[in-house]
Amino acid sequence: MSPVPRPTLADIARAAEVSTATVSHALNGTGRVGESTRRRVRETATALGYGAAAGTRTIGIAVTTYPRAWSYTEVAYFSRAITAATAVAHTRGYALTTLPADRAADDAWHSLAVDGMLIMDSPRGDPMVHALRARGIPLVFDGVPGDPRPGDHWVDNDHDAATREVLDHLAASGARRVALQSGDGDEHYARAVTEAYAAWCAERGADPLVVPFDVADAQGRSFDALLRGPGRADAVYAAYDPGGRQLLAAAARLGLRVPEDLRVVCASEDPAYAATRPPVTTVTLDPERTARAAVGLLVDLIEGGGAAAPGPVVVPAALLVRASSRAQPAAG
């Protein structure tokens, strides 16, 4: 049998009644192309089977928690997850495309040429999820989806268990007033960690002390009120990557010794925490294992061959204890 001819840029241009240059700009997200024209070109390309006809098999990956321009690839967790996801995708015969965070509300989701999508930290009301569900695109989530449906697949950690392990460790090290630095996003991770912390405090009759995470607060000034005075916190669990450094900076400014005066634990995949002064205890969520499992599920869904039952795949977290949270010898 003769192969079916692949549609070309010229074919799309004729069908969409634009120039080939406009087609190129519209498909690559470059140039000055009106949004209605860009949408029409992409819809035409999809209708003609442009990607499929060329034999392209592509998985998309995006983080949609914060609908603004930010480089999540610079965050250790996402960077390591994307590297692992790319390796698995290539092994299974798929390209992997990393989408910008600020495209979550873009109409391009309605014509994005992907065979499946791995969505990380999807919040409630996620417009990208709504658009891709409407198109029947297979989805797998890193973290519980904000709007889960029967049949959804996701890979996640047991954040309740991991948070309690951290808090119990801090209490066992001698901490009496343990605070939490948590995110203000609407993703499941922030809610789960905060809820676990609140429940742990309630079980001990302690008042919860929660400080909102601020990525721009390099000096840790948001901790100042918490770390001053006779009733100050003597331990903090920072649930986001920069929090450990922010706490070390705050302790240095306020004349607090770590861990003698302040015990610090941070959820992070950054190996540099092993070399800070003192080395910071971290929680690893194992992004490589999470990404490998998620891409494997997604490819199985795309190919219709034996995907696991809907619901969660749980990846264990691990507490890596270092000097910043170790118990101190009792005074003689």
Side-chain angles (χ1 to χ4, degrees):
M1 294 179 61
S2 300
V4 177
R6 298 177 182 179
T8 65
L9 294 185
D11 295 327
I12 298 169
R14 281 192 294 271
E17 300 181 337
V18 295
S19 68
T20 55
T22 297
V23 171
S24 178
H25 288 315
L27 295 181
N28 292 305
T30 59
R32 295 184 178 180
V33 180
E35 190 53 42
S36 61
T37 300
R38 191 184 302 276
R39 186 183 306 113
R40 184 171 80 254
V41 169
R42 288 175 171 170
E43 290 173 352
T44 301
T46 299
L48 292 177
Y50 179 70
T56 302
R57 299 196 297 177
T58 302
I59 291 170
I61 186 169
V63 181
T64 58
T65 301
Y66 302 100
R68 62 175 183 263
W70 63 292
S71 181
Y72 57 86
T73 59
E74 296 177 358
V75 178
Y77 178 91
F78 296 121
S79 174
R80 292 172 60 173
I82 290 167
T83 299
T86 302
V88 176
H90 290 179
T91 299
R92 299 291 296 268
Y94 287 77
L96 187 137
T97 299
T98 306
L99 282 303
D102 63 345
R103 296 287 293 279
D106 197 308
D107 284 344
W109 295 119
H110 294 278
S111 56
L112 183 67
V114 293
D115 296 283
M117 195 79 189
L118 171 55
I119 306 165
M120 309 179 81
D121 286 350
S122 176
R124 288 176 285 202
D126 191 336
M128 185 196 68
V129 171
H130 179 76
L132 296 179
R133 286 195 197 278
R135 294 175 56 200
I137 300 294
L139 306 177
V140 170
F141 299 87
D142 175 353
V144 180
D147 301 305
R149 292 185 181 181
D152 277 349
H153 293 77
W154 65 89
V155 183
D156 202 6
N157 311 98
D158 185 339
H159 297 299
D160 181 87
T163 300
R164 286 176 175 273
E165 182 180 7
V166 170
L167 300 174
D168 288 343
H169 163 70
L170 289 170
S173 76
R176 294 295 175 262
R177 285 178 60 80
V178 182
L180 173 72
Q181 183 198 43
S182 188
D184 59 357
D186 194 32
E187 82 278 18
H188 174 76
Y189 174 70
R191 299 198 309 270
V193 170
T194 304
E195 289 169 4
Y197 169 73
W200 186 87
C201 289
E203 291 163 8
R204 288 155 181 77
D207 293 329
L209 304 169
V210 180
V211 176
F213 169 61
D214 180 358
V215 69
D217 183 22
Q219 295 302 310
R221 297 190 182 280
S222 59
F223 293 106
D224 285 5
L226 185 74
L227 300 179
R228 286 183 170 134
R232 66 172 181 82
D234 58 3
V236 181
Y237 175 34
Y240 287 82
D241 188 296
R245 290 183 178 82
Q246 293 174 347
L247 282 163
L248 293 180
R253 280 190 301 100
L254 299 174
L256 298 175
R257 300 167 300 164
V258 178
E260 292 86 351
D261 304 316
L262 177 66
R263 292 160 178 81
V264 174
V265 178
C266 179
S268 175
E269 310 302 331
D270 187 349
Y273 273 120
T276 54
R277 297 182 63 184
V280 172
T281 295
T282 56
V283 175
T284 174
L285 303 179
D286 203 344
E288 289 88 355
R289 184 173 175 182
T290 298
R292 289 193 295 266
V295 172
L297 276 172
L298 184 55
V299 172
D300 286 345
L301 286 173
I302 294 168
E303 298 180 352
V313 173
V314 179
V315 172
L319 179 64
L320 306 178
V321 177
R322 300 189 180 104
S324 72
S325 66
R326 289 199 174 105
Q328 299 302 296

